[in-house]
mmCIF file of all heavy atoms in Angstrom:
data_model
loop_
_atom_site.group_PDB
_atom_site.id
_atom_site.type_symbol
_atom_site.label_atom_id
_atom_site.label_comp_id
_atom_site.label_asym_id
_atom_site.label_seq_id
_atom_site.Cartn_x
_atom_site.Cartn_y
_atom_site.Cartn_z
ATOM 1 N N THR A 394 131.579 99.491 86.252
ATOM 2 C CA THR A 394 132.148 98.296 86.874
ATOM 3 C C THR A 394 132.346 98.482 88.382
ATOM 4 O O THR A 394 132.227 97.523 89.125
ATOM 5 C CB THR A 394 133.487 97.899 86.220
ATOM 6 O OG1 THR A 394 134.248 99.068 85.948
ATOM 7 C CG2 THR A 394 133.289 97.122 84.963
ATOM 8 N N ASN A 395 132.615 99.693 88.822
ATOM 9 C CA ASN A 395 132.759 99.953 90.258
ATOM 10 C C ASN A 395 131.429 99.839 91.002
ATOM 11 O O ASN A 395 131.413 99.635 92.216
ATOM 12 C CB ASN A 395 133.357 101.330 90.513
ATOM 13 C CG ASN A 395 134.805 101.402 90.095
ATOM 14 O OD1 ASN A 395 135.484 100.387 90.007
ATOM 15 N ND2 ASN A 395 135.283 102.597 89.823
ATOM 16 N N ASP A 396 130.316 99.997 90.291
ATOM 17 C CA ASP A 396 128.995 99.940 90.915
ATOM 18 C C ASP A 396 128.370 98.545 90.866
ATOM 19 O O ASP A 396 127.247 98.365 91.323
ATOM 20 C CB ASP A 396 128.046 100.932 90.244
ATOM 21 C CG ASP A 396 128.389 102.370 90.585
ATOM 22 O OD1 ASP A 396 129.002 102.600 91.645
ATOM 23 O OD2 ASP A 396 128.048 103.252 89.792
ATOM 24 N N LEU A 397 129.070 97.558 90.340
ATOM 25 C CA LEU A 397 128.527 96.206 90.259
ATOM 26 C C LEU A 397 128.737 95.490 91.597
ATOM 27 O O LEU A 397 129.522 94.554 91.720
ATOM 28 C CB LEU A 397 129.173 95.423 89.110
ATOM 29 C CG LEU A 397 128.887 95.954 87.714
ATOM 30 C CD1 LEU A 397 129.632 95.144 86.660
ATOM 31 C CD2 LEU A 397 127.394 95.952 87.425
ATOM 32 N N THR A 398 127.988 95.934 92.578
ATOM 33 C CA THR A 398 128.064 95.353 93.918
ATOM 34 C C THR A 398 126.666 94.963 94.374
ATOM 35 O O THR A 398 125.668 95.463 93.849
ATOM 36 C CB THR A 398 128.647 96.359 94.931
ATOM 37 O OG1 THR A 398 127.733 97.450 95.068
ATOM 38 C CG2 THR A 398 130.013 96.867 94.493
ATOM 39 N N THR A 399 126.612 94.087 95.357
ATOM 40 C CA THR A 399 125.317 93.695 95.919
ATOM 41 C C THR A 399 124.590 94.899 96.500
ATOM 42 O O THR A 399 123.397 95.082 96.279
ATOM 43 C CB THR A 399 125.509 92.614 96.998
ATOM 44 O OG1 THR A 399 126.159 91.487 96.404
ATOM 45 C CG2 THR A 399 124.186 92.191 97.595
ATOM 46 N N ALA A 400 125.328 95.732 97.226
ATOM 47 C CA ALA A 400 124.710 96.907 97.859
ATOM 48 C C ALA A 400 124.097 97.832 96.816
ATOM 49 O O ALA A 400 122.976 98.323 96.992
ATOM 50 C CB ALA A 400 125.739 97.655 98.696
ATOM 51 N N LYS A 401 124.794 98.076 95.720
ATOM 52 C CA LYS A 401 124.278 98.958 94.671
ATOM 53 C C LYS A 401 123.073 98.325 93.971
ATOM 54 O O LYS A 401 122.128 99.009 93.588
ATOM 55 C CB LYS A 401 125.361 99.291 93.648
ATOM 56 C CG LYS A 401 126.423 100.207 94.180
ATOM 57 C CD LYS A 401 125.906 101.605 94.313
ATOM 58 C CE LYS A 401 127.029 102.552 94.696
ATOM 59 N NZ LYS A 401 126.592 103.910 94.862
ATOM 60 N N PHE A 402 123.098 96.998 93.794
ATOM 61 C CA PHE A 402 121.948 96.320 93.177
ATOM 62 C C PHE A 402 120.729 96.425 94.086
ATOM 63 O O PHE A 402 119.621 96.710 93.622
ATOM 64 C CB PHE A 402 122.272 94.850 92.872
ATOM 65 C CG PHE A 402 121.118 94.122 92.246
ATOM 66 C CD1 PHE A 402 120.754 94.357 90.933
ATOM 67 C CD2 PHE A 402 120.372 93.209 92.971
ATOM 68 C CE1 PHE A 402 119.690 93.696 90.344
ATOM 69 C CE2 PHE A 402 119.297 92.541 92.411
ATOM 70 C CZ PHE A 402 118.959 92.787 91.085
ATOM 71 N N LEU A 403 120.918 96.212 95.389
ATOM 72 C CA LEU A 403 119.799 96.323 96.329
ATOM 73 C C LEU A 403 119.260 97.754 96.352
ATOM 74 O O LEU A 403 118.051 97.966 96.444
ATOM 75 C CB LEU A 403 120.232 95.876 97.731
ATOM 76 C CG LEU A 403 120.613 94.404 97.867
ATOM 77 C CD1 LEU A 403 121.105 94.118 99.273
ATOM 78 C CD2 LEU A 403 119.467 93.485 97.484
ATOM 79 N N GLU A 404 120.150 98.713 96.236
ATOM 80 C CA GLU A 404 119.735 100.118 96.153
ATOM 81 C C GLU A 404 118.925 100.357 94.879
ATOM 82 O O GLU A 404 117.893 101.031 94.900
ATOM 83 C CB GLU A 404 120.992 100.989 96.167
ATOM 84 C CG GLU A 404 120.746 102.456 96.300
ATOM 85 C CD GLU A 404 122.068 103.206 96.389
ATOM 86 O OE1 GLU A 404 122.737 103.109 97.422
ATOM 87 O OE2 GLU A 404 122.411 103.886 95.400
ATOM 88 N N PHE A 405 119.371 99.771 93.779
ATOM 89 C CA PHE A 405 118.698 99.915 92.484
ATOM 90 C C PHE A 405 117.274 99.347 92.529
ATOM 91 O O PHE A 405 116.330 100.001 92.112
ATOM 92 C CB PHE A 405 119.523 99.201 91.396
ATOM 93 C CG PHE A 405 118.905 99.214 90.038
ATOM 94 C CD1 PHE A 405 118.970 100.344 89.236
ATOM 95 C CD2 PHE A 405 118.279 98.087 89.525
ATOM 96 C CE1 PHE A 405 118.417 100.357 87.966
ATOM 97 C CE2 PHE A 405 117.723 98.088 88.271
ATOM 98 C CZ PHE A 405 117.784 99.225 87.478
ATOM 99 N N ILE A 406 117.114 98.141 93.068
ATOM 100 C CA ILE A 406 115.778 97.534 93.080
ATOM 101 C C ILE A 406 114.872 98.185 94.122
ATOM 102 O O ILE A 406 113.658 98.065 94.036
ATOM 103 C CB ILE A 406 115.803 96.001 93.271
ATOM 104 C CG1 ILE A 406 116.376 95.605 94.631
ATOM 105 C CG2 ILE A 406 116.551 95.327 92.124
ATOM 106 C CD1 ILE A 406 116.240 94.139 94.966
ATOM 107 N N SER A 407 115.470 98.884 95.092
ATOM 108 C CA SER A 407 114.694 99.567 96.126
ATOM 109 C C SER A 407 114.358 101.006 95.764
ATOM 110 O O SER A 407 113.604 101.659 96.490
ATOM 111 C CB SER A 407 115.449 99.548 97.452
ATOM 112 O OG SER A 407 115.630 98.222 97.892
ATOM 113 N N ALA A 408 114.922 101.505 94.677
ATOM 114 C CA ALA A 408 114.657 102.884 94.262
ATOM 115 C C ALA A 408 113.163 103.051 93.995
ATOM 116 O O ALA A 408 112.513 102.142 93.463
ATOM 117 C CB ALA A 408 115.450 103.226 93.009
ATOM 118 N N PRO A 409 112.590 104.181 94.399
ATOM 119 C CA PRO A 409 111.148 104.390 94.231
ATOM 120 C C PRO A 409 110.640 104.095 92.819
ATOM 121 O O PRO A 409 109.584 103.494 92.655
ATOM 122 C CB PRO A 409 110.953 105.863 94.591
ATOM 123 C CG PRO A 409 112.087 106.172 95.495
ATOM 124 C CD PRO A 409 113.239 105.344 95.016
ATOM 125 N N GLN A 410 111.398 104.456 91.812
ATOM 126 C CA GLN A 410 110.955 104.246 90.432
ATOM 127 C C GLN A 410 111.044 102.775 89.994
ATOM 128 O O GLN A 410 110.488 102.415 88.966
ATOM 129 C CB GLN A 410 111.747 105.145 89.467
ATOM 130 C CG GLN A 410 113.235 104.872 89.434
ATOM 131 C CD GLN A 410 114.027 105.662 90.456
ATOM 132 O OE1 GLN A 410 113.519 106.012 91.503
ATOM 133 N NE2 GLN A 410 115.281 105.943 90.146
ATOM 134 N N ASN A 411 111.694 101.909 90.786
ATOM 135 C CA ASN A 411 111.825 100.488 90.425
ATOM 136 C C ASN A 411 111.070 99.560 91.365
ATOM 137 O O ASN A 411 111.032 98.346 91.148
ATOM 138 C CB ASN A 411 113.305 100.093 90.392
ATOM 139 C CG ASN A 411 114.062 100.840 89.331
ATOM 140 O OD1 ASN A 411 113.498 101.188 88.291
ATOM 141 N ND2 ASN A 411 115.316 101.116 89.564
ATOM 142 N N ARG A 412 110.449 100.117 92.383
ATOM 143 C CA ARG A 412 109.787 99.284 93.381
ATOM 144 C C ARG A 412 108.618 98.483 92.814
ATOM 145 O O ARG A 412 108.423 97.320 93.170
ATOM 146 C CB ARG A 412 109.325 100.145 94.557
ATOM 147 C CG ARG A 412 110.511 100.724 95.340
ATOM 148 C CD ARG A 412 110.066 101.652 96.452
ATOM 149 N NE ARG A 412 109.289 100.950 97.460
ATOM 150 C CZ ARG A 412 109.783 100.120 98.383
ATOM 151 N NH1 ARG A 412 111.063 99.882 98.415
ATOM 152 N NH2 ARG A 412 109.000 99.544 99.265
ATOM 153 N N LYS A 413 107.852 99.066 91.941
ATOM 154 C CA LYS A 413 106.677 98.365 91.390
ATOM 155 C C LYS A 413 107.088 97.096 90.632
ATOM 156 O O LYS A 413 106.419 96.080 90.712
ATOM 157 C CB LYS A 413 105.915 99.307 90.455
ATOM 158 C CG LYS A 413 104.712 98.655 89.792
ATOM 159 C CD LYS A 413 103.987 99.626 88.873
ATOM 160 C CE LYS A 413 102.909 98.906 88.123
ATOM 161 N NZ LYS A 413 103.099 98.930 86.695
ATOM 162 N N ASP A 414 108.207 97.184 89.917
ATOM 163 C CA ASP A 414 108.638 96.067 89.080
ATOM 164 C C ASP A 414 109.554 95.084 89.801
ATOM 165 O O ASP A 414 110.054 94.148 89.179
ATOM 166 C CB ASP A 414 109.337 96.585 87.827
ATOM 167 C CG ASP A 414 108.390 97.354 86.919
ATOM 168 O OD1 ASP A 414 107.216 96.947 86.811
ATOM 169 O OD2 ASP A 414 108.812 98.367 86.338
ATOM 170 N N THR A 415 109.774 95.290 91.096
ATOM 171 C CA THR A 415 110.636 94.377 91.864
ATOM 172 C C THR A 415 109.995 93.962 93.180
ATOM 173 O O THR A 415 110.678 93.523 94.097
ATOM 174 C CB THR A 415 112.015 95.024 92.138
ATOM 175 O OG1 THR A 415 111.831 96.224 92.896
ATOM 176 C CG2 THR A 415 112.768 95.317 90.859
ATOM 177 N N ARG A 416 108.684 94.059 93.271
ATOM 178 C CA ARG A 416 108.039 93.801 94.562
ATOM 179 C C ARG A 416 108.164 92.353 95.016
ATOM 180 O O ARG A 416 108.380 92.087 96.185
ATOM 181 C CB ARG A 416 106.586 94.258 94.557
ATOM 182 C CG ARG A 416 105.656 93.461 93.689
ATOM 183 C CD ARG A 416 104.263 94.092 93.697
ATOM 184 N NE ARG A 416 103.398 93.386 92.793
ATOM 185 C CZ ARG A 416 102.338 92.695 93.180
ATOM 186 N NH1 ARG A 416 101.993 92.680 94.441
ATOM 187 N NH2 ARG A 416 101.605 92.056 92.292
ATOM 188 N N PHE A 417 108.069 91.393 94.101
ATOM 189 C CA PHE A 417 108.227 89.986 94.493
ATOM 190 C C PHE A 417 109.688 89.685 94.825
ATOM 191 O O PHE A 417 109.980 88.960 95.762
ATOM 192 C CB PHE A 417 107.738 89.055 93.381
ATOM 193 C CG PHE A 417 106.249 89.038 93.244
ATOM 194 C CD1 PHE A 417 105.606 89.836 92.295
ATOM 195 C CD2 PHE A 417 105.464 88.230 94.043
ATOM 196 C CE1 PHE A 417 104.229 89.839 92.165
ATOM 197 C CE2 PHE A 417 104.075 88.218 93.925
ATOM 198 C CZ PHE A 417 103.469 89.023 92.988
ATOM 199 N N LEU A 418 110.599 90.258 94.056
ATOM 200 C CA LEU A 418 112.031 90.067 94.314
ATOM 201 C C LEU A 418 112.420 90.636 95.676
ATOM 202 O O LEU A 418 113.102 89.978 96.459
ATOM 203 C CB LEU A 418 112.858 90.737 93.206
ATOM 204 C CG LEU A 418 114.372 90.757 93.400
ATOM 205 C CD1 LEU A 418 114.927 89.349 93.548
ATOM 206 C CD2 LEU A 418 115.035 91.498 92.251
ATOM 207 N N ARG A 419 111.958 91.835 95.987
ATOM 208 C CA ARG A 419 112.279 92.443 97.278
ATOM 209 C C ARG A 419 111.688 91.634 98.427
ATOM 210 O O ARG A 419 112.342 91.428 99.448
ATOM 211 C CB ARG A 419 111.821 93.904 97.314
ATOM 212 C CG ARG A 419 112.708 94.801 96.461
ATOM 213 C CD ARG A 419 112.321 96.270 96.481
ATOM 214 N NE ARG A 419 111.023 96.497 95.833
ATOM 215 C CZ ARG A 419 109.893 96.704 96.480
ATOM 216 N NH1 ARG A 419 109.858 96.777 97.796
ATOM 217 N NH2 ARG A 419 108.767 96.882 95.814
ATOM 218 N N ALA A 420 110.471 91.155 98.268
ATOM 219 C CA ALA A 420 109.843 90.320 99.313
ATOM 220 C C ALA A 420 110.634 89.022 99.502
ATOM 221 O O ALA A 420 110.862 88.579 100.639
ATOM 222 C CB ALA A 420 108.395 90.031 98.953
ATOM 223 N N TYR A 421 111.063 88.418 98.404
ATOM 224 C CA TYR A 421 111.839 87.185 98.459
ATOM 225 C C TYR A 421 113.167 87.425 99.180
ATOM 226 O O TYR A 421 113.562 86.647 100.050
ATOM 227 C CB TYR A 421 112.086 86.661 97.045
ATOM 228 C CG TYR A 421 112.895 85.397 96.990
ATOM 229 C CD1 TYR A 421 112.291 84.155 97.129
ATOM 230 C CD2 TYR A 421 114.272 85.435 96.798
ATOM 231 C CE1 TYR A 421 113.039 82.988 97.078
ATOM 232 C CE2 TYR A 421 115.024 84.283 96.755
ATOM 233 C CZ TYR A 421 114.404 83.061 96.889
ATOM 234 O OH TYR A 421 115.145 81.907 96.846
ATOM 235 N N LEU A 422 113.856 88.512 98.834
ATOM 236 C CA LEU A 422 115.141 88.817 99.461
ATOM 237 C C LEU A 422 114.988 89.121 100.944
ATOM 238 O O LEU A 422 115.814 88.705 101.759
ATOM 239 C CB LEU A 422 115.826 89.973 98.735
ATOM 240 C CG LEU A 422 116.308 89.652 97.318
ATOM 241 C CD1 LEU A 422 116.804 90.913 96.633
ATOM 242 C CD2 LEU A 422 117.368 88.566 97.331
ATOM 243 N N LYS A 423 113.924 89.832 101.318
ATOM 244 C CA LYS A 423 113.665 90.102 102.737
ATOM 245 C C LYS A 423 113.439 88.798 103.489
ATOM 246 O O LYS A 423 113.933 88.609 104.597
ATOM 247 C CB LYS A 423 112.462 91.020 102.897
ATOM 248 C CG LYS A 423 112.761 92.466 102.615
ATOM 249 C CD LYS A 423 111.526 93.304 102.853
ATOM 250 C CE LYS A 423 111.747 94.733 102.441
ATOM 251 N NZ LYS A 423 110.533 95.541 102.608
ATOM 252 N N GLU A 424 112.684 87.889 102.861
ATOM 253 C CA GLU A 424 112.409 86.586 103.469
ATOM 254 C C GLU A 424 113.709 85.811 103.696
ATOM 255 O O GLU A 424 113.839 85.057 104.656
ATOM 256 C CB GLU A 424 111.481 85.794 102.541
ATOM 257 C CG GLU A 424 111.049 84.449 103.040
ATOM 258 C CD GLU A 424 110.172 83.752 102.021
ATOM 259 O OE1 GLU A 424 109.108 84.292 101.681
ATOM 260 O OE2 GLU A 424 110.574 82.669 101.549
ATOM 261 N N LYS A 425 114.699 86.021 102.823
ATOM 262 C CA LYS A 425 115.990 85.324 102.921
ATOM 263 C C LYS A 425 116.990 86.059 103.808
ATOM 264 O O LYS A 425 118.119 85.633 103.947
ATOM 265 C CB LYS A 425 116.596 85.127 101.522
ATOM 266 C CG LYS A 425 115.747 84.290 100.596
ATOM 267 C CD LYS A 425 115.567 82.890 101.132
ATOM 268 C CE LYS A 425 114.705 82.068 100.193
ATOM 269 N NZ LYS A 425 114.360 80.785 100.722
ATOM 270 N N GLY A 426 116.570 87.196 104.396
ATOM 271 C CA GLY A 426 117.411 87.875 105.356
ATOM 272 C C GLY A 426 118.178 89.079 104.853
ATOM 273 O O GLY A 426 118.984 89.643 105.583
ATOM 274 N N TYR A 427 117.966 89.494 103.607
ATOM 275 C CA TYR A 427 118.633 90.690 103.103
ATOM 276 C C TYR A 427 117.927 91.934 103.628
ATOM 277 O O TYR A 427 116.707 91.966 103.714
ATOM 278 C CB TYR A 427 118.629 90.719 101.570
ATOM 279 C CG TYR A 427 119.610 89.767 100.964
ATOM 280 C CD1 TYR A 427 119.245 88.461 100.683
ATOM 281 C CD2 TYR A 427 120.905 90.170 100.682
ATOM 282 C CE1 TYR A 427 120.150 87.569 100.135
ATOM 283 C CE2 TYR A 427 121.808 89.297 100.122
ATOM 284 C CZ TYR A 427 121.428 87.994 99.855
ATOM 285 O OH TYR A 427 122.326 87.121 99.318
ATOM 286 N N GLU A 428 118.715 92.945 103.960
ATOM 287 C CA GLU A 428 118.144 94.215 104.397
ATOM 288 C C GLU A 428 118.042 95.139 103.204
ATOM 289 O O GLU A 428 119.020 95.381 102.511
ATOM 290 C CB GLU A 428 119.020 94.856 105.465
ATOM 291 C CG GLU A 428 118.921 94.146 106.792
ATOM 292 C CD GLU A 428 119.559 94.950 107.901
ATOM 293 O OE1 GLU A 428 119.494 96.189 107.865
ATOM 294 O OE2 GLU A 428 120.128 94.310 108.786
ATOM 295 N N LEU A 429 116.833 95.632 102.966
ATOM 296 C CA LEU A 429 116.590 96.538 101.856
ATOM 297 C C LEU A 429 116.178 97.884 102.406
ATOM 298 O O LEU A 429 115.509 97.978 103.425
ATOM 299 C CB LEU A 429 115.480 95.997 100.948
ATOM 300 C CG LEU A 429 115.736 94.621 100.346
ATOM 301 C CD1 LEU A 429 114.509 94.158 99.591
ATOM 302 C CD2 LEU A 429 116.935 94.645 99.440
ATOM 303 N N ALA A 430 116.561 98.917 101.717
ATOM 304 C CA ALA A 430 116.189 100.282 102.122
ATOM 305 C C ALA A 430 114.789 100.563 101.615
ATOM 306 O O ALA A 430 114.575 100.784 100.431
ATOM 307 C CB ALA A 430 117.184 101.284 101.563
ATOM 308 N N ASP A 431 113.806 100.493 102.498
ATOM 309 C CA ASP A 431 112.421 100.738 102.110
ATOM 310 C C ASP A 431 112.052 102.208 102.096
ATOM 311 O O ASP A 431 111.056 102.597 101.538
ATOM 312 C CB ASP A 431 111.465 100.011 103.062
ATOM 313 C CG ASP A 431 111.465 98.516 102.824
ATOM 314 O OD1 ASP A 431 111.718 98.106 101.688
ATOM 315 O OD2 ASP A 431 111.219 97.787 103.782
ATOM 316 N N ASN A 432 112.880 103.018 102.723
ATOM 317 C CA ASN A 432 112.509 104.423 102.859
ATOM 318 C C ASN A 432 113.423 105.353 102.035
ATOM 319 O O ASN A 432 113.654 106.469 102.424
ATOM 320 C CB ASN A 432 112.535 104.829 104.337
ATOM 321 C CG ASN A 432 113.891 104.577 104.954
ATOM 322 O OD1 ASN A 432 114.766 104.019 104.320
ATOM 323 N ND2 ASN A 432 114.053 104.987 106.198
ATOM 324 N N LEU A 433 113.937 104.845 100.933
ATOM 325 C CA LEU A 433 114.798 105.683 100.095
ATOM 326 C C LEU A 433 113.975 106.818 99.506
ATOM 327 O O LEU A 433 112.907 106.608 98.956
ATOM 328 C CB LEU A 433 115.411 104.860 98.967
ATOM 329 C CG LEU A 433 116.423 103.806 99.389
ATOM 330 C CD1 LEU A 433 116.836 102.976 98.191
ATOM 331 C CD2 LEU A 433 117.641 104.442 100.002
#
């Protein structure tokens, strides 16, 4: 419950092992102005 934050979710979808399955989501969020960690 302490990890249910936007920052932790963005970290989760940006994790190398999850990037393939979230590529459209990450592109959409970047387009909307969210900063994602691309170099994790």
Side-chain angles (χ1 to χ4, degrees):
T394 40
N395 290 338
D396 289 335
L397 295 177
T398 66
T399 301
K401 289 287 187 181
F402 180 73
L403 295 176
E404 189 177 288
F405 177 78
I406 64 171
S407 298
Q410 62 271 28
N411 296 329
R412 293 176 64 75
K413 178 180 173 241
D414 294 323
T415 60
R416 69 184 176 115
F417 287 96
L418 174 58
R419 287 181 293 103
Y421 179 85
L422 291 173
K423 282 182 186 177
E424 182 182 300
K425 299 298 180 187
Y427 285 89
E428 287 192 35
L429 302 174
D431 287 331
N432 57 355
L433 292 174

